[in-house]
Amino acid sequence: SITTSRGLGGKLQIGIQYSKIARKYDQIRFGDELGRKKSLGDAIIIRRLMFPLSNGLVLDLGCGTCRISKVIREVSEESMLVGLDISREMLSVCSEKNVADLLILGDSEKLPFREGSFDVVVSYRLLSLPVDWERIVSEVSRVLKVGGYFLAEIGNSMSIGGISNGIKKVLGRETNYRTFHIWKFLKVCEEQSLFPVKIVGMHHIHWRLVPRKFLDLWLETELRLGNTLVKFLASRLHVLLMKEVS
């Protein structure tokens, strides 16, 4: 079943747009070879970053069709997994996959949870949508326990795609895809007592040149190398942060 929280307001428009494609979303985004590589890369990184910290209460923020929730469940069968999204139809698809313990129709900018409720919050794709991302970061910090973790995936403004996106905006072309300057993102997180533990980059080379059967080994090598400047040129960044005492 799907629980509805109050105060969705204007965010319903985003939900309506996603509801229109909910049944076809996984096929549209991840149905071809490139999409399957992207999905596999996400799964590999989530498994590596979340494996030691996924027990307890986990929130998949903007869970959509529960693609990421499924990976979280594979990592930790013992966790209590809550999925929240603005689209009822996306949650309906998610419900059919039977991976989340609770699904909530709600607003990520006004989370219907008490302070310090969750051990882990995961957010994929959400922060790149036309949302108040700083408000979302504030809400994530509020509902996280001290010592809890926030795993966020964001578009990188320093990548080729991010620069192209910036040029389009300068030329007055509409784009709903947000990218981030990593230092600004980390600064806003720090203001909310969220401090980086690890940053992993996903490069176009992973998706276009590395065969799927070697993707696991390739990313495992990168994860072992630690943070490098090259990561900040990646098209997408996976940022693991821990909440400390404010």
Side-chain angles (χ1 to χ4, degrees):
S1 63
I2 299 171
T3 302
T4 304
S5 70
R6 298 178 181 179
L8 297 182
K11 305 300 183 311
L12 282 175
Q13 189 59 38
I14 297 176
I16 290 170
Q17 293 301 314
Y18 272 92
S19 289
K20 290 178 179 178
I21 62 170
R23 293 287 162 183
K24 300 179 180 179
Y25 180 80
D26 288 344
Q27 179 63 31
I28 292 171
R29 289 298 305 271
F30 308 105
D32 60 9
E33 180 64 16
L34 183 59
R36 286 190 288 271
K37 281 187 180 180
K38 290 180 179 180
S39 186
L40 176 60
D42 287 339
I44 292 169
I45 290 175
I46 291 169
R47 290 188 186 105
R48 298 299 190 275
L49 293 181
M50 286 195 64
F51 181 75
L53 49 96
S54 55
N55 289 324
L57 192 56
V58 181
L59 173 63
D60 185 357
L61 197 56
C63 63
T65 60
C66 279
R67 181 180 66 91
I68 298 300
S69 292
K70 184 177 179 181
V71 180
I72 296 172
R73 176 59 74 211
E74 291 170 355
V75 171
S76 177
E77 297 180 357
E78 302 300 321
S79 63
M80 173 74 176
L81 180 55
V82 178
L84 181 141
D85 201 89
I86 199 77
S87 165
R88 182 179 292 276
E89 287 302 316
M90 295 286 269
L91 288 175
S92 179
V93 174
C94 182
S95 179
E96 293 169 6
K97 296 180 181 179
N98 197 32
V99 293
D101 297 289
L102 176 65
L103 294 174
I104 297 177
L105 182 69
D107 185 354
S108 299
E109 296 175 19
K110 191 176 181 181
L111 295 176
F113 308 112
R114 296 179 180 176
E115 294 182 9
S117 296
F118 291 92
D119 298 284
V120 181
V121 176
V122 179
S123 172
Y124 267 63
R125 303 287 188 269
L126 173 65
L127 299 182
S128 293
L129 297 177
V131 295
D132 185 346
W133 70 271
E134 294 189 31
R135 175 63 180 168
I136 292 175
V137 169
S138 174
E139 280 291 273
V140 168
S141 179
R142 181 181 67 81
V143 302
L144 263 182
K145 298 177 181 178
V146 173
Y149 291 89
F150 178 34
L151 177 57
E153 186 246 24
I154 60 175
N156 181 19
S157 64
M158 299 302 292
S159 68
I160 294 175
I163 293 172
S164 173
N165 192 56
I167 292 173
K168 289 178 182 178
K169 289 184 178 179
V170 170
L171 295 176
R173 299 178 185 175
E174 291 295 325
T175 173
N176 289 326
Y177 178 72
R178 174 186 285 112
T179 56
F180 293 82
H181 192 294
I182 184 61
W183 303 119
K184 180 180 179 180
F185 179 75
L186 293 179
K187 184 176 185 298
V188 170
C189 288
E190 182 177 346
E191 291 170 354
Q192 298 296 332
S193 302
L194 297 168
F195 296 89
V197 176
K198 197 158 193 175
I199 300 171
V200 179
M202 279 288 287
H203 303 268
H204 283 292
I205 188 174
H206 292 143
W207 301 332
R208 298 189 181 278
L209 299 181
V210 180
R212 255 197 297 169
K213 63 181 179 180
F214 297 128
L215 195 58
D216 196 331
L217 177 61
W218 186 286
L219 288 174
E220 176 66 20
T221 301
E222 179 167 310
L223 283 164
R224 290 181 181 278
L225 290 177
N227 295 340
T228 65
L229 182 60
V230 176
K231 284 186 177 60
F232 297 117
L233 301 178
S235 55
R236 305 200 69 79
L237 298 173
H238 302 248
V239 187
L240 180 65
L241 306 110
M242 184 176 71
K243 181 178 178 180
E244 299 183 6
V245 179
S246 58

